[in-house]
């Protein structure tokens, strides 16, 4: 069936796609492949025009594929997210316009993101980055400034106990002996208890945790879930870790909590409005560590994400079940 079709595939805003796999070469055996860069805030109309004539889109975290895009573009039959997040795709509009949407199954990124979350916790607790910078500036003798905490002695609160949050809990409980509180209203308590974590409501978690790690999906309901009110309910000296979505935290509220000493450190892989530059207000704080959204950037995870995209397109064309499918339109578009 593949030989009868010559499809067009767009890789949009994803520089990493194909860097650690043969995915691009495999896609070229299926159809014509183009790498396309657009502004992260490109309008739906602009995006619809740029992708006119393409059938499959391998999408990064930007831009936003909203209703205007689906109304203006008539050629795309499927969007494949090169990642697990779906907050930049209007799923309802995709369904209405017959466009299938698939995302990388969480298992592919699970280890990479969980490892990075633990890494950020340790960097913040042990003040490792600041110590390294001190030595670079000739400050070896300032080492008494860098007395930290052991992760096993801390109470860690995990918000979001899905694929990645549950793995972080496993590592903390079984590897470090940490006491782990977990909040996720969509996960049964028995699932939380099965890895040695303790189910908690959000109020208890905020009030009791020494470290809070975010692993929740971004929805309208939890946008800025860590706002000024939430920070006021936390313990003094709490550490904030975020490898999920920047929009879960109010930057203004976090900056205020850092300035007041309520938050002793923040270690973030995601920031609202990213990419950010050197003028970002959080970078004024020495006790803030920010990495540029690299939690899933391991060779293993990137290779797995690439291979998933190839499988998704191949399966779609051959009429086979597509792994990771989140929108299966009742009236799918046809490739013209």
């Amino acid at each position: 069936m593949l030989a009868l079709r010559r499809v067009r595939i767009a890789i949009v805003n994803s520089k990493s796609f194909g860097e650690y796999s043969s995915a691009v070469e495999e896609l070229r055996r299926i159809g014509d492949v183009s790498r396309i860069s657009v502004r992260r805030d490109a309008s739906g109309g602009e995006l619809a025009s740029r992708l006119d004539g393409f059938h499959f889109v391998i999408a990064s975290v930007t831009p936003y594929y909203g209703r205007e895009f689906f109304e203006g573009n008539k050629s795309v039959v499927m969007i494949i997210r090169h990642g697990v997040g779906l907050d930049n795709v209007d799923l309802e509009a995709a369904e209405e316009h017959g466009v299938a949407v698939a995302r990388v199954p969480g298992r592919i990124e699970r280890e990479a993101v969980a490892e990075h979350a633990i890494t950020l916790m340790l960097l913040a607790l042990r003040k490792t980055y600041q110590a390294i910078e001190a030595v670079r500036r000739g400050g070896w003798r300032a080492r008494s400034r860098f007395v930290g905490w052991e992760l096993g002695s801390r109470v860690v609160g995990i918000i979001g106990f899905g694929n990645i949050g549950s793995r972080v809990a496993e590592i903390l409980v079984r590897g470090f002996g940490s006491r782990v509180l977990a909040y996720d209203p969509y996960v049964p308590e028995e699932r939380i208890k099965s890895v040695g974590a303790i189910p908690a409501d959000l109020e208890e978690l905020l009030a009791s945790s020494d470290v809070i790690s975010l692993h929740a999906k971004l929805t309208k309901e939890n946008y800025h879930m860590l706002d000024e009110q939430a920070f006021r309910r936390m313990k003094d000296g709490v550490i904030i870790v975020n490898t999920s979505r920047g929009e879960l935290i109010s930057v203004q509220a976090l900056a205020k909590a850092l300035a007041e000493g309520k938050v002793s450190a923040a270690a973030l892989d995601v920031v609202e409005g990213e990419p950010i530059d050197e003028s970002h207000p959080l970078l004024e704080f020495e006790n803030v560590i920010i990495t540029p959204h690299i939690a899933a950037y391991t060779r293993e995870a990137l290779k797995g994400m690439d291979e998933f995209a190839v499988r998704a397109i191949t399966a779609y064309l051959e009429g086979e079940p597509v792994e990771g499918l989140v929108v299966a339109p009742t009236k799918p578009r046809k490739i013209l």
Side-chain angles (χ1 to χ4, degrees):
M1 182 176 290
L2 293 179
L4 299 177
R5 307 185 185 201
R6 194 64 184 172
V7 299
R8 296 185 67 196
I9 303 162
I11 303 167
V12 181
N13 284 9
S14 181
K15 294 180 180 179
S16 66
F17 187 89
E19 288 296 306
Y20 304 100
S21 72
S22 60
V24 174
E25 290 76 12
E26 293 176 42
L27 289 176
R28 285 182 177 141
R29 290 195 286 270
I30 298 172
D32 298 321
V33 180
S34 299
R35 288 188 180 273
I36 295 177
S37 295
V38 299
R39 294 179 296 108
R40 63 182 305 275
D41 59 348
S43 69
E46 176 185 348
L47 190 58
S49 177
R50 288 292 304 275
L51 295 177
D52 182 40
F54 286 94
H55 306 108
F56 295 92
V57 173
I58 296 172
S60 186
V61 292
T62 65
Y64 181 68
Y65 297 82
R67 184 168 295 278
E68 185 182 4
F69 165 75
F70 291 107
E71 290 175 351
N73 181 286
K74 304 303 180 184
S75 61
V76 171
V77 301
M78 186 180 192
I79 293 176
I80 304 100
R81 268 286 290 117
H82 194 233
V84 299
L86 284 169
D87 42 283
N88 66 322
V89 181
D90 186 330
L91 302 181
E92 183 177 324
E95 162 67 34
E96 290 176 10
H97 289 82
V99 179
V101 180
R103 67 174 173 186
V104 170
R107 60 179 173 76
I108 293 176
E109 291 189 2
R110 190 180 196 225
E111 293 300 323
V113 179
E115 284 183 9
H116 196 67
I118 298 294
T119 298
L120 291 176
M121 290 180 200
L122 290 169
L123 286 171
L125 284 164
R126 298 300 304 271
K127 306 179 183 179
T128 309
Y129 177 76
Q130 295 91 331
I132 292 170
E133 288 300 300
V135 173
R136 288 185 180 278
R137 297 191 299 266
W140 183 286
R141 290 180 176 82
R143 64 197 188 105
S144 61
R145 291 172 46 206
F146 308 116
V147 176
W149 296 92
E150 295 175 9
L151 186 49
S153 73
R154 301 292 84 190
V155 176
V156 181
I158 294 179
I159 298 177
F161 205 78
N163 186 60
I164 294 168
S166 61
R167 179 58 179 147
V168 171
E170 289 176 357
I171 295 171
L172 289 169
V173 171
R174 298 170 184 173
F176 291 89
S178 304
R179 184 169 184 260
V180 176
L181 305 180
Y183 166 74
D184 193 322
Y186 303 103
V187 175
E189 289 192 357
E190 289 308 311
R191 166 68 180 131
I192 294 172
K193 293 176 181 178
S194 70
V195 299
I198 303 167
D201 60 32
L202 186 58
E203 293 294 323
E204 179 186 358
L205 185 147
L206 294 176
S208 303
S209 300
D210 301 301
V211 179
I212 295 175
S213 189
L214 293 173
H215 302 281
K217 297 177 182 177
L218 177 61
T219 64
K220 292 180 181 178
E221 292 73 26
N222 61 24
Y223 174 77
H224 282 186
M225 68 185 306
L226 295 192
D227 55 12
E228 284 195 35
Q229 185 177 3
F231 282 112
R232 283 196 294 270
R233 298 200 293 268
M234 296 178 193
K235 295 175 68 172
D236 291 341
V238 66
I239 289 173
I240 303 297
V241 175
N242 190 5
T243 54
S244 184
R245 283 292 182 266
E247 290 78 7
L248 295 173
I249 302 176
S250 163
V251 170
Q252 183 178 4
L254 175 56
K256 181 180 180 182
L258 285 160
E260 294 174 349
K262 168 64 76 169
V263 173
S264 66
L268 315 171
D269 187 54
V270 289
V271 182
E272 184 173 16
E274 61 182 68
I276 64 172
D277 60 26
E278 65 278 6
S279 66
H280 195 276
L282 290 179
L283 295 176
E284 297 177 6
F285 298 93
E286 186 185 49
N287 52 346
V288 171
I289 300 165
I290 301 178
T291 54
H293 206 147
I294 60 168
Y297 272 34
T298 64
R299 292 172 184 265
E300 296 89 345
L302 289 172
K303 182 173 184 287
M305 288 191 283
D306 292 354
E307 292 171 345
F308 159 76
V310 175
R311 289 196 305 271
I313 294 172
T314 302
Y316 185 93
L317 289 171
E318 294 182 342
E320 299 293 334
V322 177
E323 184 184 14
L325 195 66
V326 292
V327 174
T330 53
K331 295 181 179 180
R333 284 182 179 174
K334 294 182 180 180
I335 295 177
L336 302 177

